[in-house]
Amino acid sequence: MRISTFFYTLKQGLRNIFRNKLFSLASIATIAACLFLFGIFYAVLANFQHIVKNAEEGVSVWVFFEEGIEDIRIQQIGDMIAKRPEVAKMEFISAQEAWEGFRDEYLGEYGDGFTENPLENSANYQVYLNDVSMQSALVTYLESIDGVRMVNRSELVATTLTGINALIAYVSVGIIAILLAVSIFLISNTVAIGISVRKEEINIMKYIGATDFFVRSPFVVEGIMIGLIGAAMPLGFIYTIYNVVLAYVTDRFPQLSSLLSFVAVGEVFHVLVPISLGLGVGIGFLGSIVTVRRHLRV
Amino acid sequence: MAVKKRRKGPVVENEIINLTNVSKAYSTGAPALKDVNLHISRGEFVFIVGDSGSGKSTLIKLLLRELTISSGYINVMGYDLSKIKHRKIPKFRRNLGIVFQDFRLLKDRNVYENVAFAQRIIQKSNKEIKKNVPSILAIVGLAGKYKAKPRQLSGGEQQRVALARALVNQPTILLADEPTGNLDPKNSWEIMKLLEQINENGTTVIVVTHNREIVNAMQKRVVTLRRGVIISDEEKGGYIDED
């Protein structure tokens, strides 16, 4: 393609947007609304997953050993656990440390009366997981290791967190799919109207010998431009809103922000910007190409 | 062993259009053209005349490959139009210039842009467009009005712009569908003079018209259609009335 043809196509695509102002604006507004919701949804989701991840990191499994087990075997068991892919980190708690922890937390000064360690068989590995949904598989493995007496876990926390994660994933996929379908439908309508407005020009182009590509490409450019503008607009809004809300929550509810940690705006936008722009271009391309193929058999 | 393709119809010197036993029926079943045989040589000037419903428009659409034939054989500039691949049609049409009764200019663009539009479509460079458009506007006598929008021009001037647009890509054949249908006699004659001049420069010109006076005066080849059938094909012919 000649450079002059490329710029001509680009110019015609932009011209189409202005020729068909009302419908172009309606499409841009709808895509902006869809991608605004998507962005808000993504920001909430990113924070929720961040919080869930933090909670997951606090969920651990305790591995207790057979009575009279040798230190060397405990070391071997530790090495075996550390090799597992689902293990994020682990630490060894000796019987003495276990007792001291228990005593300090629950008995206080009453614990001084004990001369021997009542938790003599309580040496354990505290194992933290990468993904809490893998807990069952890990526990089954741990229980099969020779020298392991008991494995303690929190079934409820694990299943609740896994459930929440799955629910978020399903809901987000569902909502995003609906929004995308609406956007594609709208762009397709805008381009179809543009084609009917320019029907005479297209007919002349056909008679003169324009190729399919030459006739169709301005409409595809129009769709992509609408998608891009519609995607860029909400990003600015979300950036502002995110910062305002974060500042508000941190300011007004300091106790909440000490419990929960939020994702920094830069981190959210690092992912959101390319996804939103990509979605905008994709929606625009898909919406226009489908219509152009249906209505413009040159 | 390679099989040599045999041409269809009689041998015509320098033939550029060959319709042999062409029929065209629409989906309603009504025949628009019946068993038409038409052979036109390179550089000819031909009038196609006939009343409404005689099949003139169908014939033009077949020559443009806007429609396909129902039966027979049609070859234009070496392209077998019943077999031509869809992707080859633009290349075929680049050798044709077309002028309509209602001019079909782009109302939002000026004279220069309307003519340049035809060059952009066949992807000429800006340099070529800047050279070709003013020279063709000079030929049709509109060099001074290149900035005017179609609504600022008379009917005759608009038809000249349409002619310039049809000619700028240097077509082998110029098809004019009722080019004087919307013009007064003075402008009609001016357009016909221009078409004659274009023909003298080597372009094959085919004019579909109702204009008895012009057909009779110009003494060119006249093909008369009636109810889808060619009833007369005469060198230096005249307009044949219905009854």
Side-chain angles (χ1 to χ4, degrees):
Chain A
M1 188 202 273
R2 280 181 185 275
I3 294 175
S4 59
T5 308
F6 172 78
F7 283 112
Y8 178 79
T9 305
L10 209 64
K11 197 174 147 190
Q12 290 305 311
L14 282 171
R15 235 172 147 168
N16 283 355
I17 295 176
F18 287 103
R19 266 188 203 138
N20 205 2
K21 272 186 216 113
L22 264 180
F23 281 95
S24 300
L25 271 177
S27 295
I28 290 171
T30 316
I31 292 172
C34 289
L35 290 177
F36 177 76
L37 283 177
F38 170 76
I40 292 287
F41 206 75
Y42 175 79
V44 170
L45 190 77
N47 275 288
F48 201 83
Q49 286 203 320
H50 183 68
I51 290 163
V52 168
K53 189 82 191 159
N54 280 346
E56 276 182 352
E57 279 168 8
V59 175
S60 57
V61 171
W62 292 274
V63 182
F64 295 94
F65 314 107
E66 301 276 7
E67 260 181 64
I69 191 169
E70 289 180 2
D71 287 349
I72 183 101
R73 182 59 191 153
I74 290 176
Q75 185 60 48
Q76 283 168 351
I77 292 171
D79 292 343
M80 287 164 78
I81 296 171
K83 279 181 190 159
R84 297 287 295 184
E86 60 267 57
V87 172
K89 61 173 183 171
M90 58 185 285
E91 80 189 90
F92 178 72
I93 313 281
S94 67
Q96 188 57 33
E97 285 167 335
W99 165 238
E100 282 168 7
F102 182 80
R103 188 187 60 197
D104 294 347
E105 194 165 344
Y106 299 105
L107 301 177
E109 60 189 32
Y110 300 111
D112 294 343
F114 290 88
T115 51
E116 286 186 5
N117 182 356
L119 302 178
E120 202 173 329
N121 284 322
S122 296
N124 65 76
Y125 280 120
Q126 209 164 333
V127 183
Y128 296 89
L129 291 100
N130 284 322
D131 179 354
V132 81
S133 66
M134 319 266 278
Q135 198 192 60
S136 290
L138 181 68
V139 167
T140 308
Y141 170 74
L142 295 172
E143 283 172 343
S144 71
I145 298 174
D146 193 30
V148 170
R149 172 170 52 95
M150 185 174 67
V151 178
N152 275 359
R153 58 170 156 173
S154 171
E155 190 85 52
L156 184 67
V157 175
T159 47
T160 308
L161 290 179
T162 309
I164 289 173
N165 264 343
L167 185 70
I168 291 170
Y170 290 140
V171 170
S172 57
V173 167
I175 290 181
I176 289 163
I178 292 167
L179 294 180
L180 290 185
V182 171
S183 305
I184 290 172
F185 174 74
L186 269 157
I187 290 229
S188 164
N189 270 356
T190 306
V191 170
I193 287 161
I195 290 172
S196 70
V197 166
R198 292 183 59 202
K199 205 161 193 151
E200 185 152 337
E201 186 178 336
I202 292 164
N203 271 334
I204 297 167
M205 289 165 94
K206 281 160 58 178
Y207 286 131
I208 295 171
T211 57
D212 286 7
F213 178 80
F214 190 87
V215 176
R216 289 169 175 175
S217 49
F219 293 103
V220 177
V221 167
E222 177 189 359
I224 290 175
M225 289 286 182
I226 288 176
L228 258 180
I229 299 167
M233 274 168 45
L235 286 173
F237 285 123
I238 295 168
Y239 189 88
T240 314
I241 290 170
Y242 192 90
N243 278 328
V244 168
V245 170
L246 218 62
Y248 181 78
V249 170
T250 318
D251 204 36
R252 289 292 298 268
F253 309 103
Q255 64 281 23
L256 195 66
S257 50
S258 66
L259 278 172
L260 307 172
S261 68
F262 297 101
V263 185
V265 69
E267 213 174 306
V268 172
F269 271 71
H270 189 67
V271 179
L272 190 58
V273 170
I275 290 183
S276 283
L277 294 180
L279 276 175
V281 170
I283 292 168
F285 180 76
L286 214 68
S288 53
I289 202 86
V290 166
T291 316
V292 154
R293 278 182 173 274
R294 203 171 43 201
H295 294 283
L296 274 186
R297 176 119 179 112
V298 182
Chain B
M1 191 178 79
V3 179
K4 196 179 174 188
K5 272 191 182 172
R6 292 178 65 188
R7 69 175 307 286
K8 298 182 182 175
V11 177
V12 176
E13 202 183 329
N14 241 336
E15 186 179 72
I16 201 162
I17 292 174
N18 172 1
L19 277 82
T20 304
N21 302 326
V22 165
S23 292
K24 173 67 188 173
Y26 288 108
S27 51
T28 53
L33 288 177
K34 282 180 279 184
D35 214 21
V36 167
N37 287 286
L38 179 64
H39 304 273
I40 297 173
S41 300
R42 192 176 288 271
E44 267 196 280
F45 190 118
V46 182
F47 280 116
I48 310 275
V49 300
D51 295 313
S52 297
S54 60
K56 301 188 303 284
S57 299
T58 303
L59 179 60
I60 287 281
K61 284 177 180 170
L62 290 178
L63 294 176
L64 280 165
R65 181 47 176 80
E66 203 182 335
L67 292 175
T68 50
I69 55 172
S70 304
S71 65
Y73 174 78
I74 180 167
N75 189 305
V76 179
M77 295 176 293
Y79 289 89
D80 181 344
L81 296 191
S82 54
K83 289 183 183 155
I84 190 172
K85 287 197 169 74
H86 175 75
R87 63 186 164 81
K88 297 246 178 177
I89 293 174
K91 197 180 167 199
F92 158 72
R93 287 187 180 151
R94 287 175 189 192
N95 296 305
L96 291 172
I98 175 110
V99 177
F100 301 96
Q101 179 177 355
D102 54 358
F103 323 130
R104 301 199 191 172
L105 299 177
L106 302 173
K107 293 171 185 70
D108 60 334
R109 289 171 224 189
N110 64 29
V111 168
Y112 182 92
E113 287 163 340
N114 262 286
V115 179
F117 178 68
Q119 294 252 285
R120 293 217 187 277
I121 284 167
I122 63 163
Q123 302 186 33
K124 289 278 180 193
S125 69
N126 282 334
K127 197 177 161 192
E128 286 170 294
I129 293 171
K130 280 177 188 164
K131 186 178 139 235
N132 296 338
V133 176
S135 74
I136 202 78
L137 285 177
I139 290 171
V140 299
L142 282 174
K145 293 203 169 178
Y146 71 97
K147 275 186 179 171
K149 289 275 171 70
R151 65 172 183 278
Q152 297 168 309
L153 303 174
S154 69
E157 287 171 329
Q158 288 189 55
Q159 193 60 293
R160 283 164 188 264
V161 180
L163 250 177
R165 185 181 65 192
L167 291 171
V168 73
N169 292 342
Q170 295 175 312
T172 311
I173 301 173
L174 180 72
L175 292 171
D177 189 3
E178 302 278 7
T180 59
N182 280 345
L183 305 179
D184 56 43
K186 183 178 168 278
N187 276 310
S188 294
W189 274 112
E190 281 177 8
I191 290 294
M192 291 317 295
K193 292 258 167 60
L194 261 173
L195 288 174
E196 201 169 27
Q197 189 188 324
I198 290 156
N199 176 244
E200 278 161 11
N201 289 332
T203 307
T204 307
V205 176
I206 297 168
V207 181
V208 171
T209 186
H210 267 118
N211 195 319
R212 178 186 296 105
E213 200 185 322
I214 285 175
V215 172
N216 289 337
M218 284 186 75
Q219 292 290 295
K220 303 284 184 187
R221 180 179 169 191
V222 180
V223 175
T224 308
L225 278 166
R226 189 168 293 165
R227 295 190 198 98
V229 177
I230 293 181
I231 58 158
S232 151
D233 184 350
E234 290 180 311
E235 291 298 328
K236 298 188 179 179
Y239 198 98
I240 299 171
D241 286 312
E242 178 93 29
D243 298 312

